[in-house]
Amino acid sequence: MSAASFIPPPPAILFAALGDPTRLELIARLGNGMPQSIAQIGETLPMTRQAVTKHLDVLHRAGLIDRHRRGREVQIALRRQAIEEARNWLNQIDAQWDETLARLKALVEQP
Amino acid sequence: MSDSIVKTIAIDAPVERVWAALTDHAKFGQWFQVEIDQSFVAGLPSTGRMTYPGFEDMPWEAQIVAIEPMTRFVYKWPATGGDKTAVETAIPAQEWTTVEFILVPSPGGTSLTVTESGFDAIAEPRRTNVMRSNDGGWAEQLRNIKAYVGG
């Protein structure tokens, strides 16, 4: 366990929000950082606008997106901070395992 | 299928030796850098403390899930894995993740794969997949949103 691990992980609600392929697709569509309307973001998805909105609600509750009203439309944008936080934490866990496994390998390979 | 972190490493030693290093709690402690109080037994908790320099007072706790000789070793542990603040302020039960080691004999010795999963431990009903991202699970996806987050 490396020192880098001793940082609280993002809440499980964030990862739970990500653990759905439709929501993952929505996040991918927002990945360029540009705000989009619900209609734009849900284009070509085989579900009702209502279903898209429900997914967006989950993402919003998890802190992954911002919603701003622009005239009659709601604009959705990715929250950079939440994505970075989740990514950084995953990278740390990943790096920890690399280090830990390297120690296992070194020990086991000793003659 | 839950999303996870998966690492595979080639070890130049026979499966039996790698197995011992995983499932003998004293040997496990040497490379994991933890001092464990008791043998690993499937279905029973594991307790101890970290020996990693600077974090010697941090507790180790896990629940051993499966010990399938020479093949599979599984335990669950808190996702925070030793968050000092959480421990000191006694924040109760965080989410637990599952760690699974799989051993496969290989020409060079042993191929060891570790999978850590269950980060999204809050129960949320899974919806039927009508879209499946080609990028794989969220862990991969997060790593791929590079351009936007400037990583």
Side-chain angles (χ1 to χ4, degrees):
Chain A
M1 188 81 99
S2 76
S5 74
F6 296 165
I7 296 168
I13 193 168
L14 190 153
F15 289 124
L18 294 169
D20 174 284
T22 301
R23 290 199 285 276
L24 215 54
E25 175 64 25
L26 292 171
I27 286 187
R29 291 176 179 205
L30 290 166
N32 65 6
M34 302 296 296
Q36 295 174 45
S37 68
I38 295 180
Q40 283 172 313
I41 195 182
E43 220 174 288
T44 76
L45 283 177
M47 61 186 64
T48 63
R49 178 186 165 119
Q50 199 173 11
V52 174
T53 302
K54 281 189 175 164
H55 279 296
L56 292 172
D57 284 344
V58 174
L59 291 175
H60 188 252
R61 277 198 304 271
L64 283 159
I65 60 173
D66 285 321
R67 295 190 289 211
H68 295 292
R69 190 161 282 284
R70 176 165 288 188
R72 299 173 67 184
E73 266 189 354
V74 175
Q75 296 261 299
I76 311 288
L78 206 55
R79 268 191 83 237
R80 181 193 184 111
Q81 190 182 345
I83 297 286
E84 272 199 44
E85 187 189 347
R87 218 170 134 257
N88 289 341
W89 189 74
L90 276 179
N91 287 342
Q92 279 164 4
I93 299 289
D94 204 279
Q96 272 172 53
W97 275 116
D98 283 337
E99 287 178 29
T100 303
L101 289 175
R103 290 196 302 269
L104 165 62
K105 180 179 161 83
L107 259 154
V108 171
E109 286 181 353
Q110 274 172 19
Chain B
M1 183 177 77
S2 65
D3 207 338
S4 53
I5 285 172
V6 185
K7 315 291 296 186
T8 298
I9 187 172
I11 300 178
D12 185 12
V15 165
E16 294 76 18
R17 205 155 167 206
V18 180
W19 179 255
L22 287 171
T23 56
D24 176 320
H25 69 288
K27 294 192 166 86
F28 180 97
Q30 278 177 24
W31 57 271
F32 204 88
Q33 297 190 323
V34 60
E35 186 186 298
I36 298 177
D37 297 329
Q38 65 282 102
S39 300
F40 294 144
V41 178
L44 293 186
S46 176
T47 59
R49 61 223 60 84
M50 305 299 296
T51 55
Y52 194 91
F55 295 89
E56 291 89 344
D57 55 337
M58 296 293 302
W60 154 268
E61 65 169 322
Q63 180 77 18
I64 309 302
V65 173
I67 303 179
E68 297 166 17
M70 307 304 138
T71 307
R72 184 170 176 260
F73 173 53
V74 184
Y75 63 81
K76 287 182 183 271
W77 68 333
T80 50
D83 177 347
K84 240 176 176 159
T85 309
V87 170
E88 283 163 2
T89 59
I91 291 173
Q94 325 92 339
E95 291 74 29
W96 285 51
T97 58
T98 300
V99 175
E100 179 191 51
F101 292 94
I102 299 282
L103 294 77
V104 178
S106 70
T110 305
S111 175
L112 177 70
T113 299
V114 61
T115 302
E116 184 166 12
S117 60
F119 297 98
D120 54 345
I122 284 188
E124 170 141 4
R126 299 278 168 152
R127 297 166 201 260
T128 318
N129 298 346
V130 287
M131 293 279 302
R132 184 167 287 285
S133 168
N134 289 330
D135 295 325
W138 49 258
E140 268 311 302
Q141 182 74 325
L142 284 178
R143 289 190 198 99
N144 288 338
I145 306 181
K146 275 182 185 169
Y148 175 57
V149 297

